[in-house]
Amino acid sequence: MKYCDLVQFEPIESVIQLTDANDKDRAVHLIDTYVISERMAEQLNEAVIEHLQFRRPVDNKGLFIVGNYGTGKSHLMSVISTIAEMDGASNYIKNERVAQKAKEIEGQFKVIRTEIGSVRTSLRDILCEALEEGLYDMGVDFKFPSIDQVRNNKDALTEMMGLFQEAFPDQGLMLVVDELLDYLRSRKEQELTLDLGFLREVGEVCSKTRLRFIAGIQEMLFDNPKFGFVADSLRRVKERFEQVRIVREDIAFVVSQRLLKKDEKQKALIREHLSRFTSLYTRLSEDLEMYVNLFPIHPAYLTTFEKVNVAEKRVALKTISNEIKRILEDDVPEGAPGLISYDSYWKYIEEDPSYKSNPDIREVLDKSRILKDRIQNAFTKKIYQPMAIRIVNALAVYRLATSDIFDKVGLTPEELRDDLFLHSTMSLEMLLEDDNPSDFLKTTVEAALREIQKTVSFQYISTNESNGQYYLDLKKDIAVDDLIEQKAETIEDDKLDSYYFEVLKQATGVADNTYVTGYKIWKHNLPWEAHKVTRQGYLFFGAPNERSTAQPERDFYIYMLKPFSEVKFKDEQKADEVFFKLTIKEEKFIRLLKMYAGSRELGINATSATKQLYVRKSETYFKELVKWLSDNFVHVYEITYRGKTANILEFGMLLPQNAGVIEIINSVSEGLLTDWFEQKYPDYPSFRKLQNVYLNKENLPSYVSDSLIQISGRETRQGTAILDGLVLIDQNGKLNVHKSGYAKWVMNKLNEKGHGQVLNASELIETITIKGTEDIRLTYEFKLEPELFAVVLAALVHAGELVVNVDGKSYDAMNYAEFSRLPLGQLIYFNYVKKPSGLPVAAINALFQISDVRIPNLEGENLAFGIRRVMEFANNKLQRVVRMIPTIRTGLPIWDGTLFSTAEVGQYVQKMDDLKEFLEGIGRYDSPAKMHNLRYSAEEILAQDIYVKELEKLEKLETKVREFTNVANYLTQAKLHL
């Protein structure tokens, strides 16, 4: 579908001259082709005709027809004067109301039409001469006296009208003048005062005679600041004149009803086309009929065109006519609205050489040309390039629509989107799938604006932060790139190192605050993969002899050395030190770094007006540097460890996929330091059940809390990982403190104490206190953190092996629930531990464990219930042992032999006799009171669990032998029968 299929285009080929109406045929054609909007109809009826008629007494005034070039001002004056001059003229008027009203003045005037050129003659002389010539042609001979012979002009004008009335008693005289404002602008102050005085007198004569005066001007005369110096004269003129404005609504009506007339079928097609885009643009849906009527001209074209006040030759209707002719045979785009907006007007300004004489227009032309040149040749995101060109053209036009081309006013992304109907390169279907396509399109416009600013180094286009408007900033034309280039060449090596560390700081994501004031040193946690924990050390930007003595000493030191101003130091090849150094042969990085340094240095002393230019440039360089480091880290860094220097690949390191800078540093450092960690912490627990996480200071409290809960009997994944690492659960996930070396260390230390003595916390945990830093607390053996050690103590408490005193209160197995709810901050600062007294809780727990008895605690009925279940277990197992012993003595016969040898029979009988003796023994402790005298230790009880399992295996074996024997007997009988 082409544009010509949707409009009935009637081009406007030429500019109408007022004097065209002197020809009758031409005058009729002008009336016939003049389209009248509703607003203009009201103006004509209520202002123009009312002030022209002379049949009814009114305070008649002169008329000013106000309209810019090309808005139909001369056409309108030709129509009005033709109606007043010619009988039957109303028959050619398209608007019925105006045609009816026009009969009041139709053919009732003799008309004199004139245009004022570029002359220095006074207004009085120009108009008087036009009147004299016009009257002469009508047969009336009248000469105005010279200016120095009259006291006022009203008498002469009145005398003139007296002679006219004698010749034409039933008619009035109309003087129509065009281009009045251009003439008045050229007048000096005293001359202008006289001209305005004459105009006032003409207006006053209009109210007392049948003289009527109409003048065409390009803009409102009385509010024009250019005539502020004659304000009093203007005020008096204003009292005798009525202004009739031609506004964009009138022009829009002309465009829709004459240039771009459409029938209902064409409107329906346009409406269907535009309806697809209503969710993209504000008010398109609400004002759809206006867009349909003006299609393919955007209403914003006319709105902005009206505001442009610098360019004089604004032939609006002719310009629009040319735009339509250009696209008439083109296809209407499927994925875009296809409307022409005011950005297209910029090419008319660019192509008209006369505009270059105007310094304001020339300034905008120069800057917009630079902008578009950079967009054409240096735009990195080509997808936004067409949109960017349109935006620059629009901002250039809008720059000429402001009262001052240096004002900080412009257009928001929303206004650009809606006024230009900007569209995305994405398909319309995909765009409309977005939850808010209008916002998505706005985001695209914002991206294009940012890219424009970036392309021109944030010059020529600025943003008004208070209202979000973008505008052509004609003063913003500092050669930023050149200045930065010059400064970059003078940056010294130590400065480069400083800015390099700024980039590295961002790339590694270290904190803003350093560990030691004045030094680029940070506490750093390094993953220890083999044990799923982190080790604490230091990350330092510099060499060992440049840093302070970081206290306390930690597990490692990672040094990021200066690449430019190298610092000499002695590498002592320590096992806990790793060095990273950027190789400075990478020219791209060095140039970027120098440009970043140059922009930063220039920004420090820049004025507030230009500082932001350097800030934005430095931000751009900074982002590129960080990205470059991330992308190239593996290849451009040398690592030194224990005297060996190589790059990452030469060290044979395997790195995580898509690893960032800090992940690479951590991975390489951990690979080099893992043997050192094993040496320093030979028996440190390994939390192998942790997945995709490392224990560290931040998450440790959560894991410890879950561990204490699991000791109570409620299993958690985090708790299992910690208890497994501390060897406090068996392969079935049951709590078992007897195989844990960490638990045995505590019990052994306690056993070394005399009877009834306690083991103080200070004997288990070493505290290193350094002024100004946080205390370091680790167990003497194994170097466990107090939080992990608290889990070991909790398991021993629950098992009945230990009593822990916290803040003066003792906790044992009986009140473990209360112990487990204590804040971790209290648990890790326990006072002492000791052996329990009273019930042999550890042994009782061991009995419950092998009997598979689960109770929340050993208090009251819980203990009695648990003992009953133990007795049931013991009796059941005792009966089965008694039955199994003689069975074993038989050796379990099978075919013509036995399953067990004589030696094996002896071994199994001995085990079952031991189990029988144990079960008979514990049967005597069938009450809580008797349990106080339990003679078995927890270790002895748990050892019997092996014999219980042996019994179960023997029973299963006996069953299988019996089944096998039955099958064999059956087969033997079957054979005999056959």
Side-chain angles (χ1 to χ4, degrees):
M1 184 168 60
K2 298 181 181 296
Y3 283 100
C4 60
D5 299 327
L6 300 177
V7 296
Q8 300 168 31
F9 178 54
E10 182 183 340
I12 293 177
E13 302 291 352
S14 61
V15 177
I16 293 171
Q17 304 292 323
L18 174 62
T19 53
D20 290 346
N22 290 332
D23 179 270
K24 183 177 179 180
D25 292 339
R26 178 67 174 153
V28 169
H29 176 72
L30 290 173
I31 297 176
D32 189 51
T33 56
Y34 190 74
V35 291
I36 304 172
S37 67
E38 286 301 309
R39 198 201 70 88
M40 182 53 71
E42 290 181 8
Q43 291 262 72
L44 288 169
N45 286 352
E46 296 175 11
V48 175
I49 297 174
E50 191 65 18
H51 280 285
L52 292 180
Q53 64 81 32
F54 50 76
R55 300 298 181 190
R56 290 176 283 103
V58 295
D59 185 17
N60 298 89
K61 296 181 179 181
L63 295 173
F64 285 139
I65 307 299
V66 184
N68 290 320
Y69 281 108
T71 58
K73 168 173 53 64
S74 298
H75 196 166
L76 175 57
M77 289 195 297
S78 298
V79 168
I80 295 170
S81 60
T82 300
I83 293 170
E85 184 179 32
M86 190 175 72
D87 287 327
S90 60
N91 295 329
Y92 300 102
I93 299 174
K94 302 297 185 184
N95 187 290
E96 292 184 8
R97 288 195 299 122
V98 176
Q100 186 63 35
K101 182 72 174 177
K103 294 183 185 300
E104 295 184 16
I105 63 169
E106 183 180 61
Q108 296 183 13
F109 287 87
K110 293 292 184 180
V111 178
I112 299 172
R113 301 177 180 89
T114 187
E115 294 178 351
I116 303 178
S118 300
V119 296
R120 303 193 63 176
T121 312
S122 70
L123 182 63
R124 177 188 183 277
D125 290 347
I126 292 171
L127 296 185
C128 287
E129 183 180 344
L131 286 168
E132 288 173 354
E133 292 177 356
L135 288 171
Y136 182 81
D137 291 341
M138 298 174 199
V140 178
D141 188 9
F142 179 81
K143 293 291 182 181
F144 284 91
S146 62
I147 187 66
D148 55 358
Q149 294 177 352
V150 296
R151 289 179 300 173
N152 64 67
N153 293 296
K154 290 191 288 186
D155 293 341
L157 289 168
T158 303
E159 183 183 348
M160 177 200 70
M161 286 305 297
L163 285 176
F164 175 79
Q165 294 297 166
E166 290 176 7
F168 304 102
D170 297 325
Q171 291 188 294
L173 178 62
M174 180 180 292
L175 177 61
V176 187
V177 182
D178 206 357
E179 311 302 346
L180 178 61
L181 192 64
D182 280 350
Y183 168 79
L184 293 177
R185 281 178 182 158
S186 68
R187 304 291 280 165
K188 297 177 182 178
E189 182 175 351
Q190 186 176 1
E191 295 171 341
L192 182 59
T193 301
L194 292 174
D195 294 339
L196 293 175
F198 181 72
L199 274 178
R200 174 183 56 79
E201 291 178 303
V202 171
E204 289 175 356
V205 172
C206 288
S207 68
K208 294 178 172 54
T209 69
R210 292 186 182 180
L211 177 64
R212 298 294 181 264
F213 180 80
I214 302 176
I217 57 178
Q218 284 77 45
E219 58 187 57
M220 300 294 275
L221 176 64
F222 304 120
D223 300 323
N224 194 325
K226 296 175 183 177
F227 298 132
F229 59 93
V230 288
D232 288 341
S233 299
L234 277 172
R235 179 177 52 77
R236 288 192 290 272
V237 173
K238 186 176 183 180
E239 293 173 357
R240 299 313 313 157
F241 280 83
E242 187 78 19
Q243 297 187 98
V244 178
R245 289 198 67 196
I246 300 174
V247 296
R248 65 176 176 274
E249 289 89 347
D250 305 316
I251 301 171
F253 191 78
V254 174
V255 171
S256 63
Q257 298 301 314
R258 182 179 167 192
L259 263 70
L260 303 172
K261 193 172 182 180
K262 308 166 185 73
D263 58 30
E264 290 305 315
K265 181 179 178 182
Q266 289 171 320
K267 287 183 179 181
L269 290 170
I270 296 169
R271 194 177 294 113
E272 180 183 359
H273 171 68
L274 293 181
S275 295
R276 301 167 62 204
F277 306 96
T278 52
S279 61
L280 296 178
Y281 307 105
T282 305
R283 298 207 61 80
L284 174 57
S285 178
E286 294 84 345
D287 299 331
L288 184 59
E289 291 310 307
M290 176 176 67
Y291 283 92
V292 170
N293 289 333
L294 287 175
F295 184 87
I297 296 298
H298 194 298
Y301 192 115
L302 302 175
T303 305
T304 306
F305 202 96
E306 185 181 43
K307 294 177 183 176
V308 174
N309 52 28
V310 177
E312 293 293 348
K313 298 180 180 179
R314 290 168 292 141
V315 190
L317 297 176
K318 187 177 179 183
T319 303
I320 292 172
S321 182
N322 290 338
E323 284 294 306
I324 300 303
K325 281 196 293 184
R326 181 175 58 83
I327 66 166
L328 207 56
E329 295 300 323
D330 292 347
D331 290 324
V332 178
E334 284 291 322
L339 270 66
I340 299 170
S341 195
Y342 58 86
D343 59 295
S344 67
Y345 181 59
W346 185 246
K347 72 174 178 292
Y348 292 98
I349 295 177
E350 287 181 316
E351 293 169 358
D352 192 333
S354 66
Y355 284 134
K356 294 178 182 178
S357 62
N358 183 313
D360 285 349
I361 302 177
R362 186 171 63 249
E363 186 85 13
V364 180
L365 279 166
D366 290 344
K367 297 303 185 291
S368 67
R369 191 175 294 112
I370 294 171
L371 274 167
K372 290 199 286 187
D373 178 69
R374 298 304 298 151
I375 291 171
Q376 294 285 7
N377 298 303
F379 211 64
T380 56
K381 295 187 179 177
K382 299 296 183 184
I383 192 172
Y384 297 139
Q385 196 173 52
M387 181 184 289
I389 293 292
R390 291 195 63 194
I391 287 173
V392 170
N393 286 340
L395 293 178
V397 172
Y398 199 84
R399 184 76 287 175
L400 298 180
T402 55
S403 58
D404 185 340
I405 62 170
F406 299 107
D407 281 346
K408 295 181 179 181
V409 294
L411 299 162
T412 64
E414 294 95 327
E415 289 171 326
L416 285 165
R417 176 197 65 198
D418 296 336
D419 289 355
L420 306 185
F421 272 9
L422 295 173
H423 54 88
S424 170
T425 54
M426 182 188 297
S427 71
L428 181 62
E429 290 72 19
M430 290 181 63
L431 184 58
L432 294 177
E433 286 177 3
D434 192 85
D435 292 338
N436 194 331
S438 180
D439 270 359
F440 182 88
L441 192 52
K442 173 194 166 189
T443 302
T444 304
V445 175
E446 289 171 334
L449 282 162
R450 286 194 300 270
E451 195 62 26
I452 294 170
Q453 288 183 312
K454 191 169 119 183
T455 302
V456 294
S457 302
F458 295 90
Q459 299 192 81
Y460 309 121
I461 287 189
S462 292
T463 310
N464 189 328
E465 298 298 340
S466 64
N467 55 26
Q469 292 177 350
Y470 289 78
Y471 60 94
L472 282 190
D473 194 338
L474 304 178
K475 294 181 178 179
K476 199 174 183 180
D477 58 353
I478 301 169
V480 171
D481 289 327
D482 292 341
L483 293 173
I484 292 174
E485 286 271 9
Q486 294 169 17
K487 187 65 177 178
E489 296 305 315
T490 66
I491 301 295
E492 298 174 350
D493 286 346
D494 62 330
K495 284 275 188 183
L496 277 181
D497 283 326
S498 178
Y499 286 117
Y500 160 68
F501 282 150
E502 283 189 14
V503 175
L504 192 61
K505 180 173 176 288
Q506 176 70 17
T508 54
V510 295
D512 288 333
N513 297 325
T514 56
Y515 181 65
V516 179
T517 304
Y519 295 89
K520 292 181 174 62
I521 189 168
W522 292 268
K523 282 198 298 185
H524 188 66
N525 290 326
L526 189 65
W528 186 10
E529 179 64 37
H531 290 252
K532 288 293 184 179
V533 297
T534 60
R535 295 290 88 194
Q536 280 197 337
Y538 296 105
L539 176 64
F540 179 66
F541 291 179
N545 57 355
E546 290 183 292
R547 69 171 174 84
S548 66
T549 304
Q551 293 294 335
E553 290 190 3
R554 299 283 185 178
D555 295 336
F556 62 88
Y557 299 84
I558 298 174
Y559 296 96
M560 309 302 294
L561 301 176
K562 292 179 178 178
F564 299 100
S565 55
E566 294 189 39
V567 175
K568 299 297 181 181
F569 67 95
K570 181 181 179 182
D571 181 4
E572 298 179 7
Q573 300 185 16
K574 293 181 179 179
D576 61 353
E577 290 185 337
V578 181
F579 300 91
F580 288 80
K581 184 180 179 182
L582 173 71
T583 56
I584 58 173
K585 59 187 177 183
E586 299 298 333
E587 293 183 2
K588 179 179 179 181
F589 180 82
I590 295 171
R591 183 183 180 281
L592 278 174
L593 186 62
K594 285 184 174 181
M595 294 295 284
Y596 170 64
S599 60
R600 284 289 307 277
E601 291 288 308
L602 289 171
I604 293 171
N605 298 315
T607 63
S608 58
T610 58
K611 184 182 289 288
Q612 198 60 26
L613 293 175
Y614 295 113
V615 169
R616 286 171 174 165
K617 290 297 289 186
S618 66
E619 287 174 350
T620 300
Y621 293 131
F622 190 77
K623 289 177 183 177
E624 290 185 48
L625 285 164
V626 172
K627 184 178 186 303
W628 190 93
L629 271 186
S630 299
D631 294 343
N632 297 277
F633 195 93
V634 172
H635 306 287
V636 299
Y637 273 85
E638 289 180 344
I639 298 100
T640 300
Y641 182 66
R642 307 199 81 170
K644 178 183 176 181
T645 298
N647 64 30
I648 294 172
L649 300 178
E650 290 169 341
F651 266 112
M653 296 293 180
L654 295 176
L655 301 176
Q657 282 191 341
N658 304 316
V661 170
I662 196 63
E663 288 83 10
I664 295 173
I665 291 173
N666 285 345
S667 183
V668 171
S669 299
E670 191 270 342
L672 296 172
L673 294 167
T674 188
D675 289 343
W676 160 245
F677 294 156
E678 295 288 355
Q679 177 184 339
K680 188 174 181 180
Y681 303 100
D683 297 311
Y684 193 86
S686 176
F687 301 98
R688 52 193 174 84
K689 290 195 175 183
L690 289 178
Q691 295 182 349
N692 302 319
V693 69
Y694 299 92
L695 274 186
N696 55 50
K697 192 173 182 64
E698 284 70 37
N699 63 23
L700 191 54
S702 171
Y703 280 85
V704 169
S705 176
D706 280 7
S707 302
L708 299 182
I709 292 172
Q710 179 153 337
I711 289 171
S712 298
R714 194 174 75 199
E715 186 174 348
T716 66
R717 187 167 61 184
Q718 292 189 165
T720 298
I722 300 301
L723 294 174
D724 176 75
L726 294 170
V727 200
L728 293 171
I729 52 176
D730 60 22
Q731 59 184 5
N732 297 316
K734 292 182 179 180
L735 188 69
N736 187 342
V737 300
H738 301 287
K739 293 184 178 180
S740 170
Y742 311 110
K744 287 180 180 178
W745 173 64
V746 179
M747 296 309 298
N748 290 339
K749 293 280 289 182
L750 189 55
N751 289 333
E752 293 172 3
K753 293 285 183 178
H755 180 71
Q757 290 186 353
V758 301
L759 185 62
N760 291 315
S762 60
E763 299 176 76
L764 296 167
I765 297 178
E766 178 185 17
T767 301
I768 302 173
T769 302
I770 297 175
K771 185 177 180 180
T773 66
E774 182 183 0
D775 290 349
I776 295 180
R777 303 177 70 240
L778 296 173
T779 59
Y780 284 101
E781 192 75 14
F782 312 119
K783 302 301 180 184
L784 292 180
E785 291 79 1
E787 292 85 355
L788 289 175
F789 188 57
V791 177
V792 176
L793 296 182
L796 289 169
V797 169
H798 187 275
E801 299 282 3
L802 205 64
V803 174
V804 178
N805 185 277
V806 181
D807 288 343
K809 182 172 181 178
S810 293
Y811 297 90
D812 57 17
M814 305 298 287
N815 61 351
Y816 173 80
E818 184 181 352
F819 174 80
S820 67
R821 289 193 294 269
L822 289 176
L824 187 57
Q826 285 183 254
L827 287 179
I828 63 176
Y829 285 98
F830 66 96
N831 299 327
Y832 59 81
V833 300
K834 65 177 183 178
K835 289 184 178 179
S837 58
L839 274 174
V841 175
I844 293 173
N845 279 334
L847 275 177
F848 287 170
Q849 184 173 330
I850 68 170
S851 304
D852 199 23
V853 175
R854 298 177 184 272
I855 57 175
N857 52 55
L858 300 181
E859 298 175 358
E861 283 300 317
N862 288 330
L863 178 59
F865 171 78
I867 292 174
R868 287 197 297 274
R869 293 294 304 274
V870 170
M871 293 302 108
E872 292 172 4
F873 169 82
N875 289 334
N876 174 270
K877 291 292 188 286
L878 180 61
Q879 292 175 20
R880 289 159 61 184
V881 167
V882 170
R883 190 191 63 78
M884 180 55 67
I885 290 175
T887 302
I888 295 172
R889 292 186 189 279
T890 66
L892 290 180
I894 183 170
W895 289 104
D896 55 351
T898 59
L899 187 63
F900 297 141
S901 66
T902 303
E904 288 174 328
V905 168
Q907 291 173 358
Y908 282 122
V909 169
Q910 183 62 50
K911 289 179 181 180
M912 292 302 101
D913 281 342
D914 290 345
L915 178 59
K916 174 175 173 291
E917 181 181 350
F918 169 74
L919 294 169
E920 289 173 340
I922 65 172
R924 293 193 288 272
Y925 304 100
D926 57 358
S927 70
K930 293 179 181 178
M931 277 292 177
H932 279 83
N933 301 313
L934 185 63
R935 67 180 181 86
Y936 298 101
S937 68
E939 289 83 355
E940 291 174 325
I941 294 170
L942 291 175
Q944 294 298 319
D945 193 42
I946 298 173
Y947 296 157
V948 171
K949 288 182 171 53
E950 288 281 2
L951 171 63
E952 293 171 352
K953 290 180 182 177
L954 288 170
E955 289 176 333
K956 290 179 181 177
L957 194 59
E958 178 193 13
T959 300
K960 289 182 179 179
V961 168
R962 187 181 300 113
E963 290 173 352
F964 180 79
T965 302
N966 290 337
V967 170
N969 290 337
Y970 172 78
L971 292 174
T972 301
Q973 291 297 325
K975 183 178 180 181
L976 291 173
H977 181 72
L978 291 172

